[in-house]
């Protein structure tokens, strides 16, 4: 069993630090302060997100899982066996692994920002599936998607579940889908999970749960920023807010100042008045038509869709 691991474009630590400080300072000093949702996922944040996925109000995870369970066979017929399955943001690799039996991929390539995030999971999967060639890749695929030569060209199937595409703007989403399209030949494709537009009364509780896990997840970004930037955010001064914006078809998440206050870091300062907000995340919702439009624009001409009975979530298989 020869599982291989590759970490691409590792930036020099000093360069990374400088870039990160500039990016964070600029976004905090801008008139509408914001923090990129990528900073949610430190160790605690990743665990909080896992816990969110088990909440009764957070329907996407279980709805998507039910669609995969119910239509696994149809998906396998549409995709065919022997693919090169490229799992974007693989994490614990559990969603992809649940499809191995039906899809029987030839090669499995879990991609995550750090190869260390997937190492343990891939090693144990390799023991269960010795016949699948496994190659863990560490890279930031939101910036670029040139895969190493060790990844087979034949039958590339990009796997992007969980409606993670929803955390990008439409432009960014199309750009990412296009990178996937350009990375596969005509025998390739994409299997992607997308959250759909629905009633505000279902959407808002999913992002503002009674237990307060999403509030904790949102607030924890400040712990991470304090660590990365050396800032002095006090979590008790901030309040979680999440709204559905029907015109923009997206959930917007914010942290709202509970009083007038100042945040300081490295000789810089940002004042906030009570009620002022820091934008932390957008989560776009699509209609089947609007998502097919995005797929077409990215160069995927043919699409097939599976959805749940209530039409809350959709899985698409898209091919050139
Ligand atoms: C990871 N992403 C798809 C989640 C979402 O639903 O947009 C992140 C999340 N934010 C709050 N709850 C979950």
């Amino acid at each position: 069993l020869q599982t291989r691991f590759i970490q691409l474009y590792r930036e020099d630590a000093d360069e990374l630090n400088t870039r990160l400080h500039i990016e964070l300072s600029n976004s905090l000093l801008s008139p509408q302060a914001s923090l990129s949702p990528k900073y949610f996922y430190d160790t605690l944040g990743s665990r909080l997100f896992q816990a969110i996925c088990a909440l009764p109000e957070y329907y996407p995870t279980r709805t998507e899982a039910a669609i995969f369970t119910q239509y696994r066979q149809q998906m396998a017929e549409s995709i065919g066996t022997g693919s090169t399955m490229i799992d974007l943001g693989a994490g614990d690799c559990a969603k992809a692994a649940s499809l191995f039996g039906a899809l029987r991929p030839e090669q499995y390539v879990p991609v995550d920002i750090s190869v260390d995030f997937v190492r343990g999971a891939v090693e144990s999967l390799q023991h269960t599936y010795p016949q699948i060639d496994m190659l863990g890749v560490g890279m930031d695929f939101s910036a670029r998607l040139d895969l190493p030569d060790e990844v087979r060209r034949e039958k590339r199937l990009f796997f992007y579940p969980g409606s993670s595409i929803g955390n990008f703007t439409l432009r960014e989403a199309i750009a990412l889908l296009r990178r996937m399209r350009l990375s596969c030949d005509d025998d390739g494709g994409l299997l992607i999970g997308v959250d759909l537009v629905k009633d505000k009364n279902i959407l808002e509780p999913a992002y503002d749960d009674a237990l307060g896990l999403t509030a904790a997840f949102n607030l924890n970004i400040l712990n991470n920023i304090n660590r990365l930037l050396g800032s002095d955010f006090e979590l008790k001064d901030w309040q979680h807010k999440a709204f559905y914006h029907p015109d923009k078809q997206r959930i917007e998440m914010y942290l709202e100042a509970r009083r007038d206050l100042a945040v300081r870091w490295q000789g810089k300062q940002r004042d906030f008045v009570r009620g002022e907000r820091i934008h932390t995340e957008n989560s776009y919702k699509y209609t089947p038509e609007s998502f097919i439009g995005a797929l077409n624009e990215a160069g995927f001409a043919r699409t097939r869709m599976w959805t749940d009975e209530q039409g809350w979530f959709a899985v698409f298989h898209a091919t050139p």
Side-chain angles (χ1 to χ4, degrees), residues 41 49 52 58 162-164 167 206-207 214 217 253 281 283 285:
Y41 302 95
F49 179 61
I52 286 172
Y58 195 74
S163 201
S164 296
N167 297 128
Y207 291 83
T214 311
F217 173 74
M253 284 206 329
E281 188 180 56
S283 191
K285 309 303 166 189

Side-chain angles (χ1 to χ4, degrees), residues 147-299:
L147 293 163
D149 294 339
E150 289 83 349
V151 178
R152 289 166 79 238
R153 277 234 59 108
E154 297 80 47
K155 293 195 194 171
R156 285 189 176 175
L157 175 72
F158 285 94
F159 181 57
Y160 200 38
S163 201
S164 296
I165 195 79
N167 297 128
F168 295 101
T169 63
L170 180 60
R171 260 178 87 140
E172 293 165 340
I174 292 172
L176 176 57
L177 295 170
R178 190 170 289 134
R179 283 199 287 281
M180 297 182 206
R181 167 63 192 99
L182 291 175
S183 169
C184 59
D185 293 333
D186 289 345
D187 62 356
L190 161 67
L191 187 65
I192 186 167
V194 182
D195 197 12
L196 299 178
V197 168
K198 62 183 68 58
D199 200 284
K200 200 185 174 95
N201 297 325
I202 306 294
L203 280 165
E204 284 187 340
Y207 291 83
D208 193 7
D209 57 286
L211 201 53
L213 285 184
T214 311
F217 173 74
N218 197 7
L219 283 163
N220 180 61
I221 202 171
L222 300 179
N223 282 328
N224 197 21
I225 300 302
N226 282 346
R227 204 164 33 233
L228 292 168
L229 196 60
S231 49
D232 60 356
F233 278 104
E234 298 256 19
L235 272 61
K236 64 168 174 35
D237 289 338
W238 298 88
Q239 194 176 3
H240 167 66
K241 294 280 170 186
F243 314 98
Y244 183 60
H245 215 297
D247 301 337
K248 296 184 175 160
Q249 303 194 326
R250 70 185 193 200
I251 289 277
E252 296 178 0
M253 284 206 329
Y254 297 91
L255 290 165
E256 187 177 289
R258 293 181 189 269
R259 59 177 183 89
D260 295 353
L261 57 89
V263 180
R264 293 179 186 84
W265 69 95
Q266 300 174 348
K268 299 193 173 69
Q269 173 169 336
R270 168 70 200 252
D271 299 316
F272 290 92
V273 295
R274 183 172 172 212
E276 199 175 345
R277 292 171 183 163
I278 303 175
H279 179 239
T280 52
E281 188 180 56
N282 290 323
S283 191
Y284 284 83
K285 309 303 166 189
Y286 287 87
T287 61
E289 298 71 31
S290 68
F291 198 72
I292 290 170
L295 287 167
N296 292 158
E297 209 166 313

